[in-house]
Amino acid sequence: MDVQPKASHFVNGAPMEDAAGEAIPLIYPATGERLGQVHAATEAVVEAALASAKAAQTGWAAMTGTERGRVLTRAAQIIRERNRALSELETMDTGKPISETLVADAASGADCLEYFGGMAATLTGETVELGGDFAYTIREPLGVCAAIGAWNYPMQIACWKAAPALACGNAMVFKPSEETPLSALKLAEILVEAGAPAGVFNVIQGAAEVGAALITDARVAKVSLTGSVPTGRKVYAAAAEGLKHATMELGGKSPLIIFEDADIEDAVSAAINANFYSTGQVCSNGTRVFVHRDLSAAFLDRLTERTARAVIGDPMDEATHIGPMASERQLSIVLGYIEKGRSEGARLVLGGKALPGPGWFIEPTIFADVTDEMTIAREEIFGPVMSVLGFDSEEEVIARANATEFGLAAGVFTRDLARAHRVIRALEAGTCWINQYNLTPIEMPFGGVKASGIGRENARAAMEAYSQPKAVYVGLTPVEAPF
Ligand code: NDP
């Protein structure tokens, strides 16, 4: 499959190239093959993207919400029509199995564009009666938004940021991760095809310097990042310096708590999805699996039996469950954590090894007898490594689940619904599941607390995050003055 894009960037409604920018290779993670390259944005490209977004934003905001929404809805339709090609491209870029990308990447992006397409016309203010006089509010867009993505869900992340931003009347400059530059370019093309005016959504490539150049520009009113906590700290600090709005979708080390009365097959399914989907490269993964000691042995038996059946291999084969890691660097990070788990005394019950190349494949790995102090229980690994920890009481597991700087997600499995809701209330996490895990429908707000993030994506919450109220006092009564 030819993945080489026409040009590295998409600016002002058209592909743009500037070969003076540093080359970024396009590598297929399943084979390590070089498939092509793009170039990092030069200063001139960054300037062109920001200038075109600034110029386009006012006209876009002046359209009705219905008109803007129609563009987003059309883009959703085009994405659905091209789902197969977009999914193949995403698989080539990330290494994620086609069985996943066909249903979870472009498809989630289309849902998002459709949802916010419908929502665009509902962005309204309110009227406030003041006993004679009154006030009203107008919900206005913020202006130009800079968005920076991670490499695990490139298309989904681009859509999750672009759709609500554009629905509200903002323009956007999006920088994908340099590991996965391709699908955001497709989104930009599709939006123009769907009727978006030139400049409303621009994509420029590059690493941290390009991201930093966007965040510090005076024309940018809002910054939205999906990335790791260390990057989040830097980007949030830079946004604060410019007093810009910020949404930070960062990392996690989320607890998945399985009580003794849980349905064991469902709990095992959830633990599998929460650790091995996308080869474990999911921010909200429930990587600390707390299992009540009464259930531990039975749970581990079923978990290892079922995980051993996972098909690892060619991500383009629809029968494959687990593809390679997205990059060689990520593979070596994950292998380093597995080594730490072993050396700190966790019991390896399955996996633990990289597969012989080519490609950056690694076995789904399960550690049991993990304790809270171990590195694998404290740090985000971002790979297929599950830690199973035992617990005895509800109070104990809540305290241990919360004893982390992260707070992205949490899950609880129990048949006792009163306990489920009680425990969820006590957990410090922004996105939670009861008897389910890692489903993130567009209708539900998504995001973290504590170091896992600021603000929410998706749902009505995202419309609020990409707009602000202007308050207007209307005097209908005589003006009183003291003299
Ligand atoms: P990184 O934090 O390394 O990078 C994220 C993005 O920020 C990349 O585009 C990167 O550029 C860019 N970047 C890095 N440094 C700076 C800087 N100083 N200024 C501006 N931009 C910068 O994350 P990864 O790409 O490695 O993604 C994995 C992380 O993302 C995990 O921690 C994961 O949990 C988190 N994540 C969070 C999600 C959420 O919604 N909460 C969802 C998905 C992932 P480049 O890489 O090109 O150099």
Side-chain angles (χ1 to χ4, degrees), residues 24 147-153 156-157 160-161 175-180 205-215 225-232 234-235 238 248-252 281-284 329-330 380 382 406 408 446-448 452-453 457:
I24 301 171
I148 300 173
W151 42 261
N152 59 339
Y153 279 85
Q156 189 190 82
I157 291 170
W160 281 18
K161 295 189 188 306
K175 186 201 86 65
S177 163
E178 60 182 328
E179 305 280 357
T180 53
Q205 310 295 347
E209 314 78 66
V210 173
L214 291 177
I215 304 160
L225 169 78
T226 296
S228 61
V229 172
T231 302
K234 287 186 212 151
V235 170
M248 299 285 130
E249 291 292 353
L250 309 177
Q281 304 163 118
V282 181
C283 52
S284 49
R329 184 175 153 267
Q330 195 59 24
E380 183 181 46
F382 226 56
F406 298 110
L408 185 55
F446 181 81
S452 289
E457 294 196 304

Side-chain angles (χ1 to χ4, degrees), residues 370-424:
V370 177
T371 58
D372 299 347
E373 313 70 49
M374 290 178 186
T375 310
I376 55 168
R378 287 188 290 107
E379 296 182 11
E380 183 181 46
I381 299 174
F382 226 56
V385 182
M386 184 192 307
S387 294
V388 180
L389 305 93
F391 76 92
D392 294 301
S393 76
E394 181 180 316
E395 200 182 12
E396 170 210 337
V397 78
I398 290 169
R400 290 171 59 198
N402 287 339
T404 167
E405 67 162 341
F406 298 110
L408 185 55
V412 173
F413 271 75
T414 174
R415 289 192 173 99
D416 176 347
L417 281 181
R419 170 158 68 184
H421 294 292
R422 187 169 66 233
V423 172
I424 287 290

